[in-house]
Amino acid sequence: MGRQKRAGPTDAELEVLRVLWESGGSTVRQISRALAGSRLVSRTSVPKIVQLMADKGLVRRLPMEPHPVDGMRDPQIFVAAVGQTNTQRKVLRDLIDRLFGGSPSDLIMRAISAKRASPAELEKIRRHLKDLESQD
């Protein structure tokens, strides 16, 4: 039985993307430092993961300019080439389809029962549901 192709980035790629979304752009060394202690991404695997992500179009390299004083080039900066909100939506759609049979309500019910939501979070959910209902 063959593996199904995932709709979005791998878990390790998502960790790198989170660093880039938060920082706005980072070198491979900065990404490695930010992910120190990660159980998904080892320090030595970051360069390969970033290269694969560049090949997939998930990240892009900023153009390198020579340093104005000594002419040496600064380290390569990488930025996310995909938006955080769109990526979250894509990954969630895939999760809902694969794990919850396409049912968003099953996902929400399981999420709320798996990790207790605070009263403030429950109120936020209620407001969002009201907004969605008024859009129909």
Side-chain angles (χ1 to χ4, degrees), residues 5 21 25 31 35 45 49 52 58 74 77 83-84 86 100 111 115 122-123 127 129:
K5 187 173 174 152
W21 288 327
I31 295 168
L35 295 176
S45 66
I49 291 170
L52 290 170
L58 297 172
D74 289 329
I77 303 287
Q84 185 174 9
N86 286 339
F100 297 97
K115 186 173 181 185
L122 289 172
E123 182 55 36
R127 281 194 313 267
L129 289 172

Side-chain angles (χ1 to χ4, degrees), residues 6 29 37-38 42 45-46 65 82 89 91 94 105-106 136:
R6 271 193 157 172
R29 179 171 285 164
S38 167
S42 72
S45 66
V46 171
E65 299 292 329
V82 293
R89 282 184 182 138
V91 170
D94 181 53
S105 63
D106 287 351
D136 287 342

Side-chain angles (χ1 to χ4, degrees), residues 108 123-135:
I108 292 167
E123 182 55 36
K124 187 176 179 181
I125 292 167
R126 283 186 196 97
R127 281 194 313 267
H128 187 68
L129 289 172
K130 246 186 168 154
D131 290 344
L132 289 173
E133 286 174 347
S134 67
Q135 290 175 5

Side-chain angles (χ1 to χ4, degrees), residues 65-74:
E65 299 292 329
H67 193 276
V69 175
D70 60 12
M72 298 295 290
R73 292 188 184 269
D74 289 329

Side-chain angles (χ1 to χ4, degrees), residues 109-126:
M109 298 305 290
R110 183 66 60 210
I112 291 172
S113 66
K115 186 173 181 185
R116 187 107 173 119
S118 70
E121 290 172 317
L122 289 172
E123 182 55 36
K124 187 176 179 181
I125 292 167
R126 283 186 196 97

